[in-house]
Amino acid sequence: MSNPIPANDDPLKPSNFLRAIIERDLEAGIYAGRHFAGKPGDAAQHAAGPLDTARIRTRFPPEPNGYLHIGHAKSICLNFGLARDYGGVCHLRFDDTNPEKEDQEYVDAIQEMVAWLGWSWETQSAGASTSHLFFASDYFDFMYRAAEYLVSAGLAYVDEQTAEEMRANRGDFTTPGVNSPFRSRSPQDNLARLREMRDGLHADGAMVLRAKIDMAAANINLRDPALYRIRRATHHNTGDQWCIYPMYTFAHPIEDALERITHSICTLEFEDQRPFYDWLLNQLAEGGLLAQPLPKQYEFGRLNLTYVVTSKRKLRQLVDEGHVQGWDDPRLPTLVGMRRRGYTPESIRAMVEATGVTKSNAWLDYSVLDGCLRSDLEGKALRACAVLDPLKLKLTNWAEIFGDAAHLQACSAPAHPHLPELGTRQFTLGPEVWIERDDFLELPTKGFQRLFPGNKTRLKYGYIVECTGCEKDAEGRITAVLAHIIADTKSGTPGADAVKVKGVITWVGVHEALAAEVRLYDRLFTEPQPEAGGRDFIETLNPNSKKIVSAWIEPSIANLPADSRLQFERHGYFVTDRIDHAAGKPVFNKITGLRDGWAK
Ligand code: ATP
Ligand code: MG
């Protein structure tokens, strides 16, 4: 089994165009008995591992230049999910061909998050485990040989035009490009120049290697795209070994082919690159450097989520300009942020399953993701009581009823209302309890069922009380609510009379409440599409996206480890913060409310 996540065998699971393509290809036996035609010892030999047949191979190819976000989660679940469902393999490949922006920190964080989502790049077979973790930079030698081959075959040339000249001569949608004066140099001259580039004889940016295709092509990507550039930068993997680096459009198809990817799935913005992808791989196959069948690229619509931005560059701006506190800020749609916020991997995978793949760049409403989260948490989050905006309630007849002002009455509640096997939580009721400030109104509004003078309400898991009034300070602010316990008229003990009440409130005993910091999060942006109409997304930041309150929590949750999710009754789902929560200093993040507070 390659992945611990069970396949979704739901017969109602929507099929999609990618599944249809894979099923067609498997049916046609395209991958049966595929073999490698290159020289022994080529990168292509080792990259794909032991040869096997009739399998599909997909890959998730992040560039390690930032943290993964929810859009990447879509790509991860899609690629690993297809491999799982069709008995194939999914590679985790770092597309690390751009040394200036890449870093080991990101390599580590990306691996951690793919694993957190529940996927594995290792496969088990006959007790042995094979890793399918790859780095594009491991193929630099092969890529360079491929470049020399293209030059020798007259399919690439070294261009010494300035960047400006190249841009001007590229033309545009209506004007064809103009051939570079360097385009007609002989293969021998080009080869010598390319080797000089490699050997560091030319300055950064002095020249580039370009494919020789067609400067008049309708698809601008085919107007002699750049393949290699000179850049003296230290690479996180290859150090200073190279001063030339392959361009993404050249490197990516080769990476796929060397790893013998069958279905190279990417987002729609790469659609126009597909002709070059095919051109390059076909040329290299003809030259005997790559084997058939070659990988095929398929595009799907990227995930856009309302009320957030999903672009590494914009997320970096939010972090760098201090709008949020780091990449793992719980308001960010980065996977590290969402994990810290309390999202479960199950809920993210469920969202991807539920939304499927299409050919359009649709917007997903945030409430769909939160719906997936709620249905996951509802069945497993333990319950507890917390008071987030505390006001004291004094039970004025406590001593009279119990004969002792210090008496504490034992109470219990289920740990989870539908999972009796999880047992009960124990706490006590005393003469003073914390309630929510908005559970009391001196002058009730229409339909208000909770505490107001003369009204009866149930203290959840406790007694029925009748509100008698409140206390105020000099400024007129309410400092305490007063109530008395309804006692049985005959025995004098509480609760024996069958009093019917409509309101139920949660509470925590003042004598045993624990202080906790609770971080309440709201949407990061006030607009569903923060950049709609070309506005600067920074302008639509929600100034109230984070609020910290001091809360009182029930003692049963005194010793939760970090990263524990639970439901505070009536309030929503919360998680102990994975960084700041500590014994004796509980810190909770609000994950989401019990229902969609934004639904109109
Ligand atoms: P960004 O757009 O945030 O800068 P990227 O596309 O540059 O991300 P990569 O590391 O190159 O980031 O992406 C790795 C893979 O994730 C690519 O195959 C890319 O198509 C996919 N991906 C990125 N964003 C999304 C998204 N919003 N929805 C689906 N897939 C995505
Ligand atoms: Mg991109």
Side-chain angles (χ1 to χ4, degrees):
M1 204 181 73
S2 61
N3 274 302
I5 301 170
N8 181 347
D9 295 325
D10 181 354
L12 295 176
K13 176 170 171 174
S15 188
N16 62 51
F17 72 97
L18 292 174
R19 291 180 173 277
I21 289 166
I22 290 172
E23 284 165 19
R24 177 201 68 195
D25 291 349
L26 286 172
E27 183 110 328
I30 292 182
Y31 310 111
R34 67 194 303 226
H35 62 285
F36 176 68
K39 297 191 248 55
D42 257 347
Q45 279 280 4
H46 71 253
L51 299 188
D52 49 25
T53 57
R55 284 213 189 193
I56 65 154
R57 280 177 196 269
T58 56
R59 85 288 175 266
F60 173 63
E63 183 179 0
N65 63 352
Y67 284 83
L68 298 180
H69 53 64
I70 185 73
H72 294 115
K74 172 126 197 171
S75 178
I76 292 168
C77 295
L78 195 57
N79 279 294
F80 280 93
L82 287 169
R84 172 202 60 195
D85 290 353
Y86 292 99
V89 180
C90 182
H91 296 186
L92 173 60
R93 178 207 310 146
F94 287 98
D95 208 327
D96 56 349
T97 53
N98 186 4
E100 287 137 316
K101 294 188 189 151
E102 296 161 3
D103 202 276
Q104 186 64 37
E105 174 196 351
Y106 302 128
V107 172
D108 296 340
I110 289 169
Q111 291 188 45
E112 193 186 341
M113 295 327 288
V114 173
W116 177 72
L117 279 175
W119 303 105
S120 168
W121 49 87
E122 306 211 332
T123 50
Q124 315 294 332
S125 150
S129 127
T130 310
S131 170
H132 302 277
L133 175 66
F134 299 103
F135 290 84
S137 54
D138 285 340
Y139 313 141
F140 280 167
D141 282 328
F142 183 93
M143 289 174 189
Y144 180 74
R145 259 194 291 137
E148 286 210 349
Y149 164 75
L150 292 176
V151 167
S152 312
L155 296 166
Y157 62 100
V158 172
D159 194 353
E160 297 179 40
Q161 293 182 100
T162 64
E164 256 120 79
E165 285 164 342
M166 255 182 259
R167 214 172 298 126
N169 290 337
R170 222 173 154 225
D172 55 29
F173 286 112
T174 50
T175 332
V178 175
N179 282 353
S180 162
F182 301 92
R183 201 175 193 266
S184 49
R185 268 212 289 234
S186 71
Q188 290 80 348
D189 283 357
N190 279 315
L191 194 57
R193 273 284 193 264
L194 175 60
R195 288 180 178 164
E196 286 172 19
M197 280 171 65
R198 177 200 59 190
D199 294 340
L201 300 186
H202 298 285
D204 286 13
M207 53 192 73
V208 294
L209 181 72
R210 295 178 79 173
K212 192 171 182 176
I213 308 180
D214 179 5
M215 287 306 289
N219 182 340
I220 294 180
N221 295 292
L222 293 178
R223 294 183 188 171
D224 294 6
L227 308 180
Y228 260 97
R229 67 206 165 108
I230 307 172
R231 187 72 83 242
R232 284 168 179 79
T234 303
H235 188 280
H236 78 101
N237 185 19
T238 56
D240 293 320
Q241 194 190 332
W242 294 91
C243 67
I244 56 171
Y245 288 96
M247 304 300 288
Y248 175 85
T249 45
F250 174 70
H252 199 85
I254 293 180
E255 295 157 24
D256 283 346
L258 289 181
E259 291 175 18
R260 300 195 351 234
I261 298 302
T262 57
H263 299 80
S264 175
I265 298 163
C266 62
T267 36
L268 279 178
E269 67 268 27
F270 295 104
E271 196 164 14
D272 291 346
Q273 300 280 2
R274 190 177 354 115
F276 177 71
Y277 185 104
D278 291 337
W279 179 90
L280 176 64
L281 294 187
N282 283 321
Q283 297 297 352
L284 296 179
E286 249 164 62
L289 280 85
L290 294 174
Q292 298 283 353
L294 296 167
K296 289 264 175 260
Q297 174 180 304
Y298 300 97
E299 309 88 17
F300 70 98
R302 60 188 288 124
L303 172 72
N304 298 300
L305 193 60
T306 57
Y307 298 102
V308 295
V309 288
T310 46
S311 142
K312 276 184 272 196
R313 185 179 58 73
K314 290 165 201 156
L315 292 168
R316 179 185 306 282
Q317 188 183 343
L318 291 172
V319 173
D320 288 351
E321 293 179 1
H323 302 292
V324 294
Q325 281 125 33
W327 286 101
D328 65 350
D329 189 297
R331 291 167 292 181
L332 288 181
T334 52
L335 295 181
V336 282
M338 292 179 73
R339 175 178 64 173
R340 191 168 177 194
R341 175 75 170 264
Y343 278 84
T344 59
E346 291 83 354
S347 64
I348 295 174
R349 294 199 307 262
M351 181 275 285
V352 173
E353 289 277 357
T355 53
V357 284
T358 63
K359 275 284 196 181
S360 63
N361 285 319
W363 281 79
L364 181 71
D365 199 283
Y366 210 99
S367 61
V368 174
L369 178 58
D370 269 1
C372 292
L373 179 69
R374 283 192 201 96
S375 45
D376 183 33
L377 290 181
E378 164 56 26
K380 61 189 187 198
L382 298 183
R383 308 306 204 244
C385 285
V387 176
L388 304 186
D389 183 13
L391 179 62
K392 199 175 270 181
L393 172 68
K394 296 181 176 173
L395 301 173
T396 50
N397 61 343
W398 189 267
E400 189 188 315
I401 286 192
F402 295 105
D404 174 8
H407 172 76
L408 295 177
Q409 185 65 35
C411 301
S412 80
H416 189 290
H418 310 305
L419 300 173
E421 62 275 24
L422 295 180
T424 56
R425 21 193 259 258
Q426 311 300 328
F427 43 95
T428 54
L429 179 63
E432 293 186 340
V433 298
W434 294 113
I435 61 168
E436 293 295 336
R437 187 164 282 278
D438 66 8
D439 279 343
F440 173 76
L441 283 181
E442 217 176 353
L443 296 170
T445 49
K446 190 163 178 288
F448 185 76
Q449 313 275 16
R450 289 163 283 161
L451 293 166
F452 58 88
N455 194 41
K456 297 189 183 76
T457 309
R458 179 180 295 284
L459 295 179
K460 199 168 185 188
Y461 313 118
Y463 300 129
I464 292 171
V465 301
E466 179 172 343
C467 181
T468 54
C470 64
E471 294 173 353
K472 295 179 182 175
D473 63 15
E475 277 86 56
R477 189 176 147 87
I478 295 164
T479 53
V481 178
L482 306 174
H484 62 248
I485 296 170
I486 304 289
D488 183 281
T489 40
K490 293 188 207 86
S491 66
T493 54
D497 275 351
V499 183
K500 286 256 183 299
V501 296
K502 288 200 175 128
V504 180
I505 64 176
T506 44
W507 53 275
V508 178
V510 168
H511 58 281
E512 63 182 10
L514 301 171
E517 176 178 321
V518 176
R519 300 170 180 173
L520 302 173
Y521 295 107
D522 204 340
R523 303 197 171 184
L524 186 53
F525 294 94
T526 54
E527 295 295 326
Q529 298 184 13
E531 298 175 284
R535 94 194 124 206
D536 181 359
F537 67 102
I538 298 294
E539 285 167 22
T540 58
L541 276 168
N542 176 5
N544 304 312
S545 60
K546 180 179 184 182
K547 190 174 151 200
I548 298 182
V549 299
S550 334
W552 294 109
I553 59 175
E554 71 169 61
S556 76
I557 51 172
N559 297 312
L560 291 178
D563 245 344
S564 309
R565 297 179 185 87
L566 43 78
Q567 184 194 105
F568 285 151
E569 296 190 28
R570 292 171 68 210
H571 285 297
Y573 295 101
F574 291 77
V575 64
T576 48
D577 188 76
R578 66 197 324 273
I579 311 286
D580 299 331
H581 176 81
K585 185 184 162 289
V587 178
F588 291 86
N589 298 322
K590 181 167 184 177
I591 314 174
T592 189
L594 294 179
R595 58 195 72 79
D596 184 7
W598 285 64
K600 296 244 162 60

